[in-house]
Amino acid sequence: MMTGTPTAILPAETASAMSHEFKNSKFIIHYFEFHGIASATRTLLAYGGASWENRLQKMEEWPKVKPTTPCGTLPVLTEMVHPGGDASKEQVIAIPESGAMERYLARKFNLLGETPREEVLNDIFYAQAVVLNLKFAEKVIWTDEELRPKAMDKLINQSLVAWVEDCERHLAATGNTGHFVGNKFTLADIRTAAVLDTFLALKSEHVLNEAKTPGLFKLKRTVDSHPGIAAWRRSDEYKQLDETTQKGLSTYFEFDMSKSHLSA
């Protein structure tokens, strides 16, 4: 991380520490005290069985912490690498930008596909989930209060509908396995499940429901029931993130996180 002197992001000396392995690493995900855009990264770490912990950032302290982060933004994924398991030789890697850290972890956990076709399928549905989530943040959360109801209506009844149709068409055509790529987990599954956590909590039942969207419901249950992810979602820490997310977003619009727990 930055000190008083500007440094390059992932300076050259990190090259020897970075790898596709993770067994000699410990991770810290630094983000605010809610789910937000760190949700998929936390889920990936739980899926992979990595050694990790949260560094929860209080909003009131963020202005002081902001200059110490690589890009002045959160989340940041920090990896402490202990070559050969030797903590005395620790090397520290700080990765900003949620998309970069998600793909970095997905490669470590073999979630990017094994063939060109699998890789492209993963990329397609990963990208679609990212775009939908970005629209939610930019068009609804960060819009003026008086414009928010109309923006929400457009997001749900246009953007969400189009995304659902694309996903359901593909999932049905490939046998509703609970995955976008064959019968295996990919980053697209995990990012999509994270987006569904948000959209299921909104007034979206007419678009997202068991009858109309069986493929997405099965995918969500498949992700959430993975042993590592299920344990994370049952943890007190996860439940606290649920509470703070609920409290924060319900000040903007009707929002109910309990509807997101299909496998509870």
Side-chain angles (χ1 to χ4, degrees), residues 117-167:
R117 176 181 176 274
E118 290 181 353
E119 290 174 1
V120 173
L121 277 175
N122 170 71
D123 289 348
I124 290 169
F125 290 100
Y126 172 73
Q128 287 193 344
V130 168
V131 168
L132 182 63
N133 199 58
L134 185 61
K135 287 181 179 179
F136 171 66
E138 292 186 344
K139 304 293 186 180
V140 178
I141 294 180
W142 304 122
T143 195
D144 293 336
E145 184 176 357
E146 63 271 19
L147 300 176
R148 191 169 290 128
K150 185 175 181 179
M152 178 69 82
D153 181 76
K154 184 176 180 180
L155 181 74
I156 297 294
N157 293 303
Q158 294 185 26
S159 299
L160 179 62
V161 167
W163 177 73
V164 162
E165 288 176 350
D166 285 344
C167 292

Side-chain angles (χ1 to χ4, degrees), residues 16-255:
S16 62
M18 297 183 75
S19 76
H20 299 328
E21 300 297 324
F22 67 94
K23 296 189 184 302
N24 290 321
S25 294
K26 179 178 180 179
F27 300 89
I28 296 175
I29 178 67
H30 181 193
Y31 192 59
F32 300 105
E33 299 174 292
F34 46 82
H35 291 305
I37 58 173
S39 177
T41 300
R42 290 166 174 154
T43 302
L44 282 163
L45 289 164
Y47 170 90
S51 173
W52 70 285
E53 64 184 58
N54 280 301
R55 177 187 172 189
L56 298 178
Q57 178 63 55
K58 294 186 178 299
M59 281 289 191
E60 61 269 25
E61 297 172 2
W62 171 234
K64 293 182 180 179
V65 175
K66 179 181 172 70
T68 71
T69 64
C71 292
T73 59
L74 293 181
V76 172
L77 177 70
T78 301
E79 180 181 11
M80 286 77 70
V81 181
H82 301 153
D86 187 348
S88 68
K89 298 179 180 179
E90 181 176 86
Q91 297 170 288
V92 180
I93 302 160
I95 303 174
E97 299 299 334
S98 59
M101 62 185 71
E102 287 168 15
R103 288 188 291 271
Y104 180 66
L105 291 174
R107 188 174 296 281
K108 286 180 180 288
F109 304 145
N110 299 313
L111 292 171
L112 295 180
E114 298 177 8
T115 67
R117 176 181 176 274
E118 290 181 353
E119 290 174 1
V120 173
L121 277 175
N122 170 71
D123 289 348
I124 290 169
F125 290 100
Y126 172 73
Q128 287 193 344
V130 168
V131 168
L132 182 63
N133 199 58
L134 185 61
K135 287 181 179 179
F136 171 66
E138 292 186 344
K139 304 293 186 180
V140 178
I141 294 180
W142 304 122
T143 195
D144 293 336
E145 184 176 357
E146 63 271 19
L147 300 176
R148 191 169 290 128
K150 185 175 181 179
M152 178 69 82
D153 181 76
K154 184 176 180 180
L155 181 74
I156 297 294
N157 293 303
Q158 294 185 26
S159 299
L160 179 62
V161 167
W163 177 73
V164 162
E165 288 176 350
D166 285 344
C167 292
E168 287 295 327
R169 186 183 310 114
H170 174 77
L171 292 168
T174 54
N176 271 346
T177 63
H179 302 285
F180 283 116
V181 179
N183 197 25
K184 63 179 66 175
F185 276 91
T186 60
L187 175 58
D189 297 342
I190 289 174
R191 168 44 80 182
T192 296
V195 170
L196 285 170
D197 269 329
T198 297
F199 279 86
L200 285 167
L202 300 171
K203 291 186 67 177
S204 62
E205 293 89 347
H206 62 294
V207 179
L208 283 169
N209 60 68
E210 194 88 48
K212 288 185 176 180
T213 54
L216 285 169
F217 267 59
K218 183 170 183 180
L219 182 146
K220 177 76 161 59
R221 288 194 173 99
T222 299
V223 172
D224 292 355
S225 62
H226 176 277
I229 296 172
W232 161 235
R233 292 176 72 92
R234 288 193 302 267
S235 69
D236 290 340
E237 192 170 20
Y238 186 93
K239 292 174 183 177
Q240 183 60 48
L241 292 171
D242 254 12
E243 290 181 16
T244 53
T245 302
Q246 172 70 41
K247 182 178 179 180
L249 290 183
S250 61
T251 63
Y252 292 99
F253 35 70
E254 187 173 326
F255 192 78

